[in-house]
Amino acid sequence: MIIGVAGLGTMGLGIVQTYAQAGFSVLATDAHGPARGSALARLAAALAPRVAKGAMTDEARDALLARVTVIDSADQFAPAALIIEAIVERLDAKQALFTALAAAAPEAVLATNTSSIPVHQIAAGLARPERLLGLHFFNPAPVMKLVELIGPVGCDPQALALARQVTEAAGKTVINAPDRPGFIVNRCARPFYGEALALLEEGRSPGEIDAAMQAAGYRLGPFALIDLIGADINLAATEGLSAAMGGHPRYHVFAALRAQVAAGALGAKTGRGFTFKGEAAPVPPDAASIVARIEAALVNEACWLLSEGGVTRDGIDTALKLGLNFPRGPFGMLDHHGAATIRATLAALEAATSLKGRYAPAPELAA
Ligand SMILES: NC(=O)c1ccc[n+]([C@@H]2O[C@H](COP(=O)([O-])OP(=O)(O)OC[C@H]3O[C@@H](n4cnc5c(N)ncnc54)[C@H](O)[C@@H]3O)[C@@H](O)[C@H]2O)c1
């Protein structure tokens, strides 16, 4: 089976590698000539560390590269059974591309890797909108196991089945996600950062908050994770979700995050961030209450998402464990703390906050 990939930037190239290393033939293109011209060399460079440490032979690398054909334009995608788009995050650009792809390959299943645009909006205007679905990979695509599969209302079940089958064959764990803002991971992750930023604004330090979370089994604390991904990316994701959710206080954009971006302290990419101030902080004496607070907010967000439909408890837990490296998913946290404790924690937070409604419990948590 032939897979198509449109867009050969960070994600597109990673998606090409994902399918090609699983044995699929891949057709790939980019609107930008130099991105097409350099694609195979960039792919070879991405594989070089594995070849160097003996995890991949020269022959396997060459065979993988031989399975990838860079084409000049979308017109040449006709042989592809599934075409995945990973171009610029703009609705008009994606719609124009999918119109061209639908004309070039009328029988192909079309998929978008969008992070933030509702999939049904991208599909609107296509002659056969039911052929378009979301396949949301995480960065770096060849490494991250999780892929969120988004089937908007009316999506063709056979299209969804094909996308799932080939993506699982490429070694991914595919989780059904609703066509709701942020899908699962980008939405359910918000409280991890949001509660940490709330604590920061209340006078706690990034070091002690991260230390508390790490002591509870999290590989990285919220601030280290912001620094790894980039405060600018985190701010854009938070602002995008806040706007998409009508400015609900659960998605409040904290001034501390805005200030960090304004100061250019974006994390790893600028060498300055929340956590780049020196040695790791000791675990604070009240670490358990920091963890309980952040986890209560994580549980509540997951319960709100669950109440909106299109997703299961297991799906959410798996998505957060694989997408964020969490030691347990929100429903694992709910089992651990118990609904009564979560309700009490949320009630205390609601009583103390000026962001009224931020901690209103989801129906799932009702006594
Ligand atoms: N970077 C991430 O962490 C991440 C994670 C998940 C999803 N996404 C989504 O994946 C998509 C791509 O993101 P990225 O980070 O790879 O971006 P990128 O800027 O690295 O790459 C985008 C590529 O698309 C090309 N392009 C632009 N318009 C095009 C068009 N009309 N036709 C063909 N190619 C075109 C550009 O030349 C560029 O090479 C976006 O929708 C983004 O939201 C990104």
Side-chain angles (χ1 to χ4, degrees), residues 82-295:
L82 167 69
I83 309 173
I84 303 163
E85 163 279 312
I87 67 165
V88 61
E89 185 75 340
R90 269 195 6 240
L91 178 61
D92 59 343
K94 290 190 191 291
Q95 282 181 325
L97 174 70
F98 279 118
T99 302
L101 292 174
E107 296 309 317
V109 173
L110 305 177
T112 174
N113 185 47
T114 182
S115 307
S116 62
I117 306 175
V119 178
H120 67 268
Q121 260 181 40
I122 301 175
L126 283 180
R128 296 174 66 193
E130 70 279 7
R131 303 291 289 165
L132 194 144
L133 48 83
L135 268 181
H136 186 224
F137 289 78
F138 290 78
N139 188 16
V143 176
M144 298 294 284
K145 289 288 273 182
L146 180 69
V147 175
E148 294 176 326
L149 175 64
I150 303 115
V153 175
C155 192
D156 178 357
Q158 287 183 351
L160 287 163
L162 180 123
R164 171 180 286 280
Q165 183 210 322
V166 298
T167 308
E168 286 178 347
K172 300 301 183 192
T173 301
V174 178
I175 302 287
N176 288 336
D179 193 16
R180 304 270 308 138
F183 309 128
I184 300 175
V185 172
N186 285 347
R187 172 165 167 186
C188 289
R190 294 311 2 124
F192 190 60
Y193 311 112
E195 276 323 291
L197 288 159
L199 281 158
L200 177 71
E201 291 194 0
E202 290 165 23
R204 307 304 298 256
S205 75
E208 59 181 344
I209 297 166
D210 276 9
M213 297 307 283
Q214 284 186 289
Y218 290 79
R219 200 174 296 175
L220 290 177
F223 291 102
L225 201 48
I226 292 175
D227 284 345
L228 182 70
I229 294 166
D232 53 339
I233 305 283
N234 193 288
L235 177 61
T238 310
E239 286 179 334
L241 199 64
S242 172
M245 300 300 274
H248 193 285
R250 284 207 312 279
Y251 313 102
H252 179 72
V253 185
F254 285 90
L257 182 61
R258 289 193 197 285
Q260 198 74 2
V261 175
L266 305 183
K269 63 182 134 182
T270 59
R272 268 189 323 131
F274 286 113
T275 57
F276 287 3
K277 288 180 190 136
E279 286 173 19
V283 178
D286 63 344
S289 77
I290 292 175
V291 175
R293 172 173 176 171
I294 293 175
E295 291 196 339

